[in-house]
Amino acid sequence: MFTYSDTNKRYHTLDYYYKHKFGCKIAKISLNAGFTCPNKDGTKGVGGCIYCSKLGSGDYAGKPNKSLSEQFYEIKNIIDKKWPNAKYIGYFQANTNTYASVNVLKEKYEEILNINGVVGLNIATRSDSISLECLDYLEELNKKTFLNVELGLQTIHEKTNKLINRKETLEEFEKMVKKLRSRGINVIVHIINGLPYETKEMMLETIKYVNKLDIQGIKIHMLHILKNTKLAELYQKEKFHILTKEEYVNIVCDQLELLRKEIVINRITGDPNPNELIEPQWLIKKFGVLNEIDKEMVRRNAYQGDRVGD
Ligand code: SF4
C-alpha cells in the first residue's frame, strides 16, 4: 500500500493529510474578503489573468457584501448538521488575499480565527503581493495556527505566461517560495493543465520544476473556460485545443508519478460553476474524473513519486 494512504488511493490526498494531522473531519470554507488584485487595479496590469472570473477566481467563496463571519457561518451551519465534530479551515480564496495593509489583513484573518472550531487558514495570493511586513506577520501567525499560503504559478513557460497575462515572473515566484519557507510557512502551489498551446511535455516540465522546490502541497487544475472572460474571447477566435478527459487523466497520472510522495495533492481537477462553464463540459462530472485517475494509476500499477528524477 502507498505510504500516505489508508485506502486504495495511490497519491497523497488532502483527506489523508488532515485525518492524520487533526484526527477529525476538516472542512474548508471559502471566503471572499473583498480584496482586489494588482493585476486588475493597474499596479501590475489591468483586466487580470485571461481566465479570471468576475469573482476573482473565487466562484465558490461567499459574497463580499456579507461580513466574513456571515459568509463563514452560512456554510458552517450546513456542515455542522452532517459532521457535528468537524473542525474548520478558513480559505481566503477570491482575488489576492495579502493585497492590503497588515492592519487590514490582521482584522480579516483574526475575525475567522476567533470563531470556535477554526484550526487554521489557507491564504491564496500572488508572489508579488506579500510585503516584508506581511511576511513578518505571517511568520507570527504561523506560530499560533495552522497556516498555508497558496501561490499561483500555473506554468513555468514564459510564452504562455505572457499569453495568459499573469504579469508575474518565475523569478518572483521562486524567491517568494524561498522567503516563506525560510520562515517555516507551508506553501501550496497552483498549476493549470491545458493552457492554450501548451504541449504535454511543457506541462510535465512545470511539474518537474515544482517538484524540486520545498513545497508542501499542490493544486492541479484543468483549465476551464468561463463565460465573459478574456479566455472565452480567445477561444472563440482561435479554437485552441482543449484537453480531452483521457488526455487530462494521462497527464495528471504522469505528474503524480513525477511528484515527491510527501507533497500533498490538495486538488487534482477543476470544479467550475456549471452555469458559467463553456469548456470542457466533461469537467462537470468531477467524481468521474477522479475515478478515471484512480483507475489509470491501477492500470499502470503506479504510485505518486514512482518516477521522481525522470
Ligand atoms: S492573480 Fe488571481 S485574482 Fe488576480 S487576475 Fe489573476 S486569477 Fe484573477
Side-chain angles (χ1 to χ4, degrees):
M1 192 188 271
F2 181 57
T3 327
Y4 297 100
S5 177
D6 303 319
T7 61
N8 59 353
K9 287 285 178 189
R10 290 171 172 245
Y11 58 92
H12 195 158
T13 63
L14 191 57
D15 274 352
Y16 175 92
Y17 176 70
Y18 282 159
K19 194 172 140 201
H20 287 260
K21 184 162 182 68
F22 296 102
C24 63
K25 170 76 189 168
I26 296 290
K28 224 187 295 172
I29 296 187
S30 296
L31 301 163
N32 188 331
F35 294 117
T36 179
C37 172
N39 196 17
K40 289 176 171 175
D41 72 1
T43 304
K44 269 295 187 79
V46 279
C49 308
I50 63 171
Y51 44 76
C52 189
S53 69
K54 56 181 181 296
L55 291 169
S57 291
D59 293 43
Y60 289 106
K63 302 273 173 294
N65 58 345
K66 293 188 176 169
S67 77
L68 284 167
S69 306
E70 274 179 296
Q71 293 178 35
F72 193 90
Y73 279 111
E74 258 179 25
I75 309 292
K76 182 180 186 291
N77 293 341
I78 298 168
I79 297 173
D80 276 350
K81 289 194 185 108
K82 198 168 171 194
W83 288 293
N85 299 319
K87 301 267 186 233
Y88 293 90
I89 288 179
Y91 177 25
F92 285 79
Q93 182 185 25
N95 285 308
T96 301
N97 292 281
T98 53
Y99 193 47
S101 72
V102 167
N103 283 344
V104 171
L105 299 178
K106 263 191 191 163
E107 196 187 309
K108 292 190 186 267
Y109 299 166
E110 288 171 23
E111 179 175 346
I112 296 301
L113 283 170
N114 287 333
I115 294 175
N116 204 13
V118 172
V119 292
L121 296 181
N122 274 33
I123 297 170
T125 189
R126 290 167 58 96
S127 60
D128 61 6
S129 303
I130 310 180
S131 66
L132 193 57
E133 203 192 354
C134 178
L135 272 172
D136 290 341
Y137 169 56
L138 293 177
E139 183 177 6
E140 200 186 296
L141 200 58
N142 190 44
K143 290 180 188 144
K144 297 190 213 148
T145 191
F146 174 65
L147 180 69
N148 293 286
V149 172
E150 303 194 12
L151 291 181
L153 168 65
Q154 324 313 358
T155 176
I156 60 165
H157 299 285
E158 190 44 34
K159 204 171 157 198
T160 319
N161 199 32
K162 279 218 172 82
L163 177 72
I164 63 179
N165 195 42
R166 279 212 347 109
K167 294 276 193 286
E168 207 184 0
T169 66
L170 189 57
E171 202 189 346
E172 284 172 309
F173 167 81
E174 193 171 316
K175 274 192 185 151
M176 187 48 70
V177 171
K178 288 181 180 154
K179 283 184 189 169
L180 289 163
R181 292 303 300 139
S182 73
R183 290 163 186 260
I185 299 165
N186 284 346
V187 176
I188 298 171
V189 175
H190 291 223
I191 65 155
I192 300 178
N193 286 330
L195 287 167
Y197 307 109
E198 285 218 340
T199 61
K200 175 178 174 178
E201 284 62 40
M202 292 166 83
M203 297 173 223
L204 299 186
E205 277 163 17
T206 293
I207 274 288
K208 287 179 190 175
Y209 165 84
V210 163
N211 188 54
K212 290 195 183 123
L213 301 174
D214 178 16
I215 60 158
Q216 288 57 55
I218 189 164
K219 285 188 172 173
I220 302 177
H221 300 263
M222 168 64 205
L223 180 75
H224 42 263
I225 305 174
L226 300 176
K227 291 175 190 165
N228 303 313
T229 59
K230 290 256 162 26
L231 183 63
E233 284 169 29
L234 184 74
Y235 181 63
Q236 183 68 23
K237 211 162 84 197
E238 301 186 9
K239 286 280 180 285
F240 53 82
H241 177 63
I242 306 282
L243 294 179
T244 64
K245 183 165 77 175
E246 292 66 33
E247 286 169 330
Y248 181 74
V249 167
N250 191 275
I251 290 166
V252 166
C253 291
D254 280 356
Q255 290 174 322
L256 289 175
E257 288 192 67
L258 291 165
L259 277 174
R260 284 179 282 117
K261 54 182 187 286
E262 295 77 22
I263 296 178
V264 181
I265 312 299
N266 284 242
R267 176 178 277 284
I268 206 165
T269 179
D271 202 4
N273 177 348
N275 299 324
E276 296 294 320
L277 183 68
I278 297 175
E279 287 285 1
Q281 286 295 320
W282 56 259
L283 208 48
I284 292 172
K285 293 193 176 149
K286 180 181 162 188
F287 289 103
V289 181
L290 295 176
N291 285 339
E292 290 302 320
I293 291 169
D294 288 341
K295 278 203 302 214
E296 177 60 14
M297 292 297 273
V298 170
R299 192 195 66 74
R300 297 177 179 198
N301 192 21
Y303 295 89
Q304 182 179 342
D306 272 359
R307 284 168 45 208
V308 168
D310 267 19

